[in-house]
Every structure is written in structure tokens, then in C-alpha cells.
Amino acid sequence: MPLTTWEQQWRQWRGHGSIEADLTPYQQVAEAVDRLGASLRNVSDARLQDAAAVLRERAMSGTPLDDLLPESFALTRKVAHRVLGMRPYMVQIMAGVALYRGKLVEMQTGEGKTLAAVLPAVLRALTGRGVHVLTFNDYLARRDAAWMGPVYEALGLQVGAVQEGMSPAARRAAYAADITYATAKEAGFDFLRAGLARDPHDLVQRPFHYAIIDEADSILIDEARVPLVIAGTRETSEADPYRIAEVVEGLAEGENWERDEHGRNVQLTDKGIDRVETALACGNLHADPNALLLAEVNQALHARALLHRDVDYIVRDGSIALVDTFTGRVVADRRWPDGLQAALEAKEGLAIQPGGHILGSITLQHFLAQYPMLAGMTATAQPAATELSDHYGLRVVPIPPNRPCIRKDLPDFIFTHRAAKEQALIKAITQAHAQGQPVLVGTSSVEESEHLAAILEEAGISCRVLNAKNDEAESDIIAEAGALGAITISTNMAGRGTDIRLGGADEAERERVVALGGLYVIGTNRHESRRIDNQLRGRAGRQGDPGMSRFFVSLEDPLMVRFGIDSLIPAKLRLARQEAPLEHSVIRREVERLQRIVEGQNQEIRTTLARYSALVEKQRATLYAWREAVLTGAVEVDLFATQAPECYAALRERVGVEKLEAVERAVMLHHIDTAWAEHLAYVAEVREGIHLVGLGGMDPLNEFHKQVAAAFSGLHQEIEDRTLETLMALEITDEGLLDPALRGPSSTWTYLVNDRALTELQQMLFGHGSSAFSAGAALMTWPILLAWALWRRLAKRED
């Protein structure tokens, strides 16, 4: 019998849904650990090490880890107290139990997630199969491995850290440790590199076992749309991107090009096309010979109109560095696709970096599915609990703080226009600073942080700025953000990983700051996700400290304009500009509703991406399993012997069986890699235009699956045919394989690409999944769709 809505809500509240409300089982285990700990009070360090060795022997001999949990946790707790001076609280033990059981733990900022993770990491590592702690950035991986390392080492366990730029040998050693700290993307890139290895000795990772994901909502939700890519170099276009950028820079908005109503897309007008054709002397820009040129002109226009320096990217050390919209940090090795990166480099007058063709790709969601067991921890999980449960099978366990949170989260100040908001912001900062109260201001971009800092400097108020241009100074700046009279302006705070201590890093002025009300956190914008807002708020009020937070919002903020706040507010409430904040409850409610709408749209994008990528991921897993068997010799490659026995016999007599088998494996691996790269290119092409089938009443998702499945069905046979053809024509000498092209790519590079399953136009016209499209709408919009599809296909011809 189907459940009523009320029954579903009741079950979720009782812990049968995506959130576990009943913490009694975790409390009971924590109490058992606490009782055992009393017996270790006066035990020597040597005895503790002996006890750890015995635990490991029992785990390796097959004793269930559940049976070892109380003893292991109690021992780890004692060792942490001895070597670090940090004794996990009861709530940290509860969190450790939940992590061990594969849950997603929600712990407030400053509650000690890093130490809590050590408890399950030690227990899971006792089996010798390795534990990965996946962090948000390299700094946190390096810091946490060094910080918690003495605990692991005192228990006889090895700890390693993977960092960007490490050699394969260093990576292999780090992954061989019992506990390995790494970013999720670095671990994912190493997984992709394994799919291109031509020798088993090139593999750096061992089979996955168990992973704990730090800042889990940021990695599992915010980064879920960003596929990891490994690419090989290719030749660049013959067109001059600098000349194209110069021509586009001379075009006038409104006359030569126009934006859509939400500012998400841009296109040339008829006058703009005429002007480009004249300036480039190319004739008809839409003629077939100009297909590549048309694509590059559109990319240059996109780079000029929609991508902004110090907002979407910065220029550092002579190159483009993309800024992560969720964290405000520079993201290493992230690029825009389809020639847009080159257009941006031309716009800024920088050297054009070589493009690449994709050799392998995987989303973080599918990469993390390689682990037999996952767990996670974050301060902001509950708003995304359903999505985390549906996509990853992770149920959220909210752990209460060790001390009650007394932070005051004040209602938003909402203004009619940005100038009024900015004036109020400066006034609030100035007043708090005059009293000596430390202020942390969270901004949405590098540009905004520097603009605000400049205004304060003009007013004679000094501040420190943390953004993508100086993120290497992050820990020092954040550590002093709670000092008396400090003003810190930072881009978004997700994944910062550093506590703000009242009174400064040494807490010298703690009592004075406490008396002033603690840290005052100010948000200058609402974010697309309430979780990001809550992460900023969570910087105040750690461990029972006082604190306060408030967001300043204007109806002219980019988020409000982009998603149409004017259409949500009733006409009678749309007031003329005023300097005072708006107090009407309806306006406040609609601002909050807009944020929920945006969250829903972003969740639908992630869900749709998962639908489209699920089949391709199954195909990747199937092909990579075969490839691994070929690489390791688990399957016999005997095409030459069975299909061309006479030729095989002659070569065997001349070069020997072992060398001939090595050549045959190398050739097959080459064709597996080539065929998969071609398949990925085909998948991308199909996905770009598949929603046009909605005009005929067909389900785009089903049609996508049909075409991609059909293309993959013959891939195995095609690889074998190509392998045999190559072997028959190949020159094989006593030295083995001579053709360098068959030995693997000479160089590869990894990056992340901002990718969506649907473009904005596709979402607007067709919706998602199997949504229908009316005949009337089809008749009205098919010319737009046809033009859009033609442009996308032309843009793709560069590849």
C-alpha cells in the first residue's frame, strides 16, 4: 500500500529516510569505548604499541572489525591524547562510529572532524587493504596527513599524502601506505591514468577498499557536474585567435551582438555578422568552408561577453587560472571546452595553450563508486540529504556539537539596489570595527572582495583579503581572522579547513573578543546553495563560542537578476529605490524561494547528467575490465596465432614467443585506447543534439541510450579487427615494436571541464527526462533549434 505524504515525512523524521534522527546506537557504542578507555589510563606507550599490533593480527586473521571496534577506538583515543594532546570527545567517537558504518556525518565547524576521522581510518586500515581520506584541496591533504601522522605511526600504521605534481614513484608509495590522504580529483586522475598504462608497473593505485570524504557535500554535490578528463595533445587550429579576438572586441553590444534575457547566452546580430565578414574578409561566415571560423568567432564573443576577469578567472604568471565559484579558489588544471579556453587566452593577449583530444573521462560520482564502502563528513549535509542518499547511498547522521551553538543568525538585510546595500555593508563593518569586534566578510568573487577592500582602505580602515590571487596565504589569514579588531574579506569559505579562533591564532585577546560578541560574519550575497551560505555562517560560533551572522542582499545582485526575482515579487510590492532595507515578509519569503528554485534547478542538472552518464560509465567499466586483463596478462591475446598462423609461426621463430606476445598486447592496448577515445567523441556529439528528437515525440534519453549502446556493441570486434590488421602490416624486429605511435601517447595532461548534460536552451525547451514537447511549440521553435544545433555541430568541427 502506498505511503501517504504524512507517513513518508514521519518515517524520514524517525530515521527511515535519508537522515538518521535516532543516535542511540552511536551513543551506546561511544559509551562502551569510554568504559574501555578507563582501563588504558596508566598503560605505557610500549604496551599501547603491543596492543595495536595484536589488534592488527586479529584483523588480518579474519576477526570481524565490528568485534574490534570498541577496543580499536579506545586505543586510538588514548594514543591521540598521548601524542597530540587531543582526546576525542564523546560526540567525536559517535561520529567515528557512523563513519565506520558508511554514513555521512554532519558535524558543525570547529567540532573536530579531522580527529574524528582517525578513529574509523585506523580500524579499517587494520586489514591491510588501505584507507583513503579524500580532502577538498592539496593543502588539507598535506596538513592532515602531517597533523594526524603521529597517531597512525604510534599504532604501527603508515600514512601517506598524494600531492599534485608528484612523481609516479612517490604516488605509488603514498597509495601503498595504510592510510592515504589525497584530494578526490588527484585520486580520480590517477585512476584515469591507470586506464592508459601500457605496463603493469605504471599503475600507482592498489584496489580500492574504503574512503572517507571530507567536505563531502562540496565534493559529492557541488563538484558532481565537473568530469575529470585525461587528454592527449593534438594540433592547434590554423586560424589566428588574436585577430578574431581583436575583431570581436570592436563589436558593440546591442548593435552587433545581444545577450539573452538572463545573460547566459550571446549571439551576433545581422549587422554583427556583416561587420565580422568585412573585417576578416572571409565571405559568407555561414558557408561550409568557414565552419571552424564561425565556431571560433562565437567562442571569442562568449569569452568577451560572458566570462569576466577577476570573477570567472584571473590572470596569473602569464596564464588563465579559473576560479571555482563554490570556493573562490583557483582550480588547478581546469579548462573550458570547445576552444573557449583558447578564445579567452587570445582575449587576454596570452600564449595559446595546445588543446587536446579526450582519452578518458569520469565524473566524481562514478569514480567514487569504485570504492566498496564510502563515508563522509561535512558541516552542511542535511539540505542535500535526499540527493546524497539517492545518488550515493549515504544517509546523513547529524552529530550534536560538543557544546551548544549560541551563534546568532540575524535576518537578512534586503535592499532595492546594490548601492544601498554597499553603503549599509560599509556602515556595519565600520561600526563593528570601531568596537574592536572581528569581522569576516564573505564575497562572491575576487572582483567584489578587492572592490570592498578598496572602499575600506579609502575610509582609513585596514583589512586583509583572501581570494584566488593570494590563496597560498590562506591559513595565515584565516588563523588571525578572529583577532581583536580584525577585518578579513574572503571569497566563499567552502573547504577552507581552518578554524577561526577568537582573539587570534594564540587566543591572546580571547576574553575581550568574547565580551564583544565574538566573530561577526557578513555575507555580501546569497549563494546558489544554502549550504554554501551555511558554511560561511559556520565560521562563527565554533565550540560554543559567541558569534553572529547576517547576509546583505540587494534585488540587483547577479543571482537575483539572473533568476528573475522581479517575477516572483508581486507588482504592488515592487518599491522604488530606497536606502533603508526592505522589511516586508513577502519579499523576504520570495528571496528565500528563489534560492530554493535555483537549488532545485541545479539538482535537476546533476540528476540529468547522471542519467546520461550512467550508460557510458557501464561501458567504460566493461571496456576497462577487458583492458586491465590484457595489460596484466589475465587473458591470452592470440589473434595473430589463430587468424594468421603462418605469419605468426615465422615471427615466433625469429623474435621469440615472449617478445611477440608483448607486441601483440601493446597493439591491442593501443587500439582499445583509440577506440574508446573515438567513442567518447561520438557520445559527446550525440548528446549535444539528441534533444532534437523531442520534436518527433520521442524520449531524448531513450534515444541517447539506443545510439550509444549501438555504437558500443560493435566496439570489441572492431578493436580485434584493427589489432589484427596492424599486426599483419607491422614491422617487428628483434628489438620488438618499432612504431612509436603504438607505444602510447607521448604526453598526457589532466584537467576538469565545466560540463552540463543539457544546455540552457535544451532545458528551457524540453525539460528533462521524458518530458513531452507540444506540436505547437515545436512549430514555433524548430527554426531556433535547427540553428542552435547547426551552430553546436559547427563548433564541434574543431575536434
Side-chain angles (χ1 to χ4, degrees):
M1 180 179 236
L3 294 173
T4 65
T5 302
W6 183 88
E7 288 171 323
Q8 291 173 343
Q9 292 174 346
W10 172 254
R11 285 200 172 187
Q12 179 165 332
W13 182 83
R14 291 289 298 166
H16 294 281
S18 54
I19 300 175
E20 292 190 13
D22 186 3
L23 302 181
T24 304
Y26 306 106
Q27 177 72 35
Q28 291 173 341
V29 176
E31 291 171 352
V33 170
D34 194 48
R35 288 192 298 269
L36 270 176
S39 64
L40 300 174
R41 186 168 302 152
N42 299 316
V43 174
S44 67
D45 292 348
R47 291 285 302 276
L48 291 176
Q49 291 176 353
D50 291 342
V54 171
L55 269 180
R56 185 159 194 171
E57 288 177 6
R58 292 171 62 191
M60 296 288 283
S61 64
T63 302
L65 293 184
D66 286 1
D67 296 346
L68 302 179
L69 189 154
E71 189 175 348
S72 173
F73 274 37
L75 185 61
T76 304
R77 188 189 196 194
K78 186 63 180 179
V79 169
H81 193 203
R82 286 267 178 96
V83 302
L84 298 179
M86 301 168 65
R87 185 173 184 266
Y89 302 121
M90 292 292 284
V91 290
Q92 288 174 300
I93 297 174
M94 292 169 60
V97 176
L99 290 170
Y100 163 75
R101 293 180 176 172
K103 309 295 183 179
L104 200 155
V105 169
E106 182 180 81
M107 297 177 71
Q108 299 307 308
T109 301
E111 290 295 313
K113 293 187 287 292
T114 303
L115 182 58
V118 172
L119 299 166
V122 167
L123 180 56
R124 289 286 178 186
L126 293 177
T127 60
R129 289 184 287 173
V131 169
H132 292 176
V133 181
L134 302 178
T135 66
F136 199 80
N137 58 55
D138 270 359
Y139 162 73
L140 292 178
R142 182 173 64 253
R143 183 203 70 176
D144 292 353
W147 187 13
M148 298 293 121
V151 179
Y152 297 124
E153 291 164 3
L155 293 167
L157 299 171
Q158 294 179 323
V159 61
V162 175
Q163 299 282 282
E164 184 182 352
M166 285 177 63
S167 67
R171 289 175 183 271
R172 190 177 300 108
Y175 285 119
D178 297 298
I179 296 97
T180 305
Y181 286 80
T183 65
K185 71 179 183 66
E186 279 300 312
F189 285 145
D190 285 329
F191 178 75
L192 285 176
R193 291 186 188 101
L196 294 176
R198 295 299 174 88
D199 189 300
H201 297 294
D202 294 335
L203 303 176
V204 299
Q205 293 172 327
R206 49 181 172 152
F208 294 153
H209 170 220
Y210 170 75
I212 299 172
I213 307 170
D214 194 9
E215 302 292 347
D217 61 326
S218 294
I219 292 175
L220 300 178
I221 302 296
D222 300 332
E223 297 290 327
R225 291 199 325 228
V226 185
L228 309 174
V229 169
I230 188 167
T233 56
R234 62 172 169 79
E235 294 183 1
T236 56
S237 166
E238 294 182 0
D240 182 1
Y242 300 107
R243 175 57 182 156
I244 295 173
E246 181 184 356
V247 171
V248 167
E249 183 62 29
L251 301 179
E253 182 175 6
E255 180 181 356
N256 303 129
W257 57 272
E258 297 173 339
R259 306 173 194 262
D260 70 359
E261 60 176 326
H262 298 298
R264 301 173 184 174
N265 294 300
V266 62
Q267 63 183 2
L268 292 170
T269 63
D270 289 342
K271 288 185 178 179
I273 293 173
D274 291 341
R275 184 163 175 177
V276 169
E277 289 174 346
T278 301
L280 297 178
C282 61
N284 183 359
L285 189 59
H286 289 85
D288 283 346
N290 288 327
L292 179 57
L293 181 61
L294 173 62
E296 292 181 337
V297 168
N298 279 307
Q299 298 290 15
L301 184 58
H302 188 124
R304 178 198 165 180
L306 302 182
L307 298 178
H308 305 290
R309 185 168 178 165
D310 291 340
V311 177
D312 303 294
Y313 67 93
I314 64 172
V315 176
R316 185 165 69 182
D317 300 329
S319 63
I320 296 290
L322 274 69
V323 177
D324 189 302
T325 57
F326 296 106
T327 68
R329 287 193 190 87
V330 163
V331 184
D333 294 329
R334 181 174 293 184
R335 296 171 62 89
W336 277 286
D338 297 340
L340 187 55
Q341 182 81 12
L344 198 61
E345 289 163 342
K347 167 188 169 182
E348 295 292 346
L350 304 173
I352 306 296
Q353 301 300 315
H357 64 284
I358 294 176
L359 303 175
S361 177
I362 192 170
T363 63
L364 277 173
Q365 178 178 345
H366 289 134
F367 164 65
L368 293 170
Q370 310 304 312
Y371 289 90
M373 176 172 281
L374 279 178
M377 50 190 185
T378 182
T380 49
Q382 291 192 66
T386 300
E387 186 173 356
L388 290 165
S389 177
D390 291 347
H391 289 183
Y392 300 96
L394 290 170
R395 296 179 69 192
V396 172
V397 178
I399 301 295
N402 184 52
R403 296 175 183 171
C405 179
I406 60 173
R407 182 185 66 243
K408 297 178 181 178
D409 294 326
L410 305 175
D412 292 0
F413 276 156
I414 303 174
F415 298 87
T416 56
H417 57 293
R418 297 179 71 176
K421 180 186 81 169
E422 188 174 279
Q423 184 177 357
L425 264 172
I426 299 301
K427 181 179 179 181
I429 296 170
T430 302
Q431 289 177 343
H433 180 66
Q435 299 173 6
Q437 184 177 21
V439 180
L440 172 66
V441 184
T443 64
S444 62
S445 68
V446 174
E447 182 181 53
E448 185 184 14
S449 66
E450 295 184 339
H451 173 67
L452 194 56
I455 295 176
L456 290 173
E457 292 290 347
E458 289 176 4
I461 300 174
S462 63
C463 62
R464 300 188 74 181
V465 178
L466 173 59
N467 58 37
K469 291 185 177 180
N470 66 339
D471 54 6
E472 68 281 353
E474 173 180 321
S475 59
D476 293 337
I477 294 176
I478 292 298
E480 293 297 332
L484 189 71
I487 298 178
T488 308
I489 300 176
S490 173
T491 47
N492 291 318
M493 297 297 296
R496 293 291 181 197
T498 303
D499 288 340
I500 298 176
R501 299 179 182 275
L502 299 187
D506 59 1
E507 301 186 86
E509 301 284 349
R510 175 178 169 79
E511 295 308 317
R512 293 182 62 185
V513 173
V514 168
L516 291 169
L519 179 68
Y520 184 13
V521 171
I522 294 177
T524 63
N525 299 270
R526 279 290 191 171
H527 196 271
E528 288 190 10
S529 168
R530 288 169 293 172
R531 291 180 297 101
I532 307 299
D533 293 341
N534 291 338
Q535 286 169 3
L536 176 60
R537 278 199 178 100
R539 294 296 156 181
R542 59 175 293 278
Q543 283 291 318
D545 286 344
M548 57 192 295
S549 71
R550 189 190 294 275
F551 280 80
F552 288 68
V553 180
S554 92
L555 302 184
E556 292 181 346
D557 288 345
L559 181 70
M560 300 296 148
V561 174
R562 181 181 177 190
F563 290 96
I565 188 65
D566 283 345
S567 65
L568 297 179
I569 297 176
K572 63 182 179 181
L573 296 179
R574 295 177 196 167
L575 304 177
R577 290 193 171 197
Q578 64 180 51
E579 300 303 314
L582 301 169
E583 297 293 343
H584 203 290
S585 60
V586 172
I587 295 177
R588 190 178 305 280
R589 186 178 69 238
E590 292 307 316
V591 167
E592 294 173 353
R593 185 160 76 100
L594 178 139
Q595 194 173 31
R596 292 195 300 271
I597 290 171
V598 177
E599 288 177 336
Q601 289 184 6
N602 287 338
Q603 179 177 347
E604 186 65 19
I605 290 171
R606 292 189 294 268
T607 300
T608 304
L609 174 62
R611 290 173 183 157
Y612 277 81
S613 63
L615 174 62
V616 181
E617 169 57 19
K618 290 179 181 178
Q619 293 175 343
R620 185 207 61 77
T622 300
L623 192 72
Y624 274 33
W626 178 35
R627 189 191 192 283
E628 183 179 359
V630 173
L631 176 69
T632 60
V635 296
E636 185 177 355
V637 180
D638 58 357
L639 285 174
F640 214 1
T642 57
Q643 301 295 321
E646 294 181 2
C647 187
Y648 173 81
L651 279 172
R652 183 184 58 193
E653 291 297 323
R654 182 156 57 86
V655 302
V657 174
E658 185 176 344
K659 193 171 293 184
L660 192 55
E661 286 182 352
V663 169
E664 194 163 359
R665 289 186 190 282
V667 172
M668 179 164 281
L669 289 172
H670 167 77
H671 285 299
I672 290 175
D673 295 343
T674 301
W676 181 244
E678 292 171 353
H679 185 68
L680 288 178
Y682 173 75
V683 168
E685 183 179 348
V686 171
R687 196 178 67 183
E688 289 292 351
I690 195 62
H691 281 258
L692 294 175
V693 304
L695 292 170
M698 294 183 288
D699 180 358
L701 182 60
N702 286 341
E703 291 303 310
F704 174 83
H705 283 167
K706 283 182 186 178
Q707 295 186 33
V708 172
F712 186 77
S713 64
L715 209 60
H716 193 288
Q717 185 60 51
E718 184 175 351
I719 290 169
E720 291 192 341
D721 292 344
R722 290 184 183 181
T723 299
L724 182 60
E725 182 181 352
T726 300
L727 288 169
M728 294 293 292
L730 195 64
E731 179 184 0
I732 304 176
T733 69
D734 295 343
E735 287 76 27
L737 188 62
L738 288 184
D739 190 346
L742 299 177
R743 296 176 183 170
S746 58
S747 64
T748 60
W749 41 287
T750 55
Y751 62 94
L752 297 95
V753 57
N754 293 324
D755 188 26
R756 293 189 176 191
L758 308 176
T759 66
E760 302 289 354
L761 181 60
Q762 288 171 317
Q763 293 179 57
M764 179 179 67
L765 294 179
F766 290 107
H768 308 278
S770 58
S771 55
F773 194 68
S774 71
L779 289 173
M780 293 173 62
T781 59
W782 75 262
I784 302 173
L785 284 166
L786 189 59
W788 168 83
L790 176 62
W791 181 86
R792 291 299 302 168
R793 288 299 175 91
L794 292 175
K796 279 292 182 183
R797 289 192 185 181
E798 179 182 353
D799 291 331

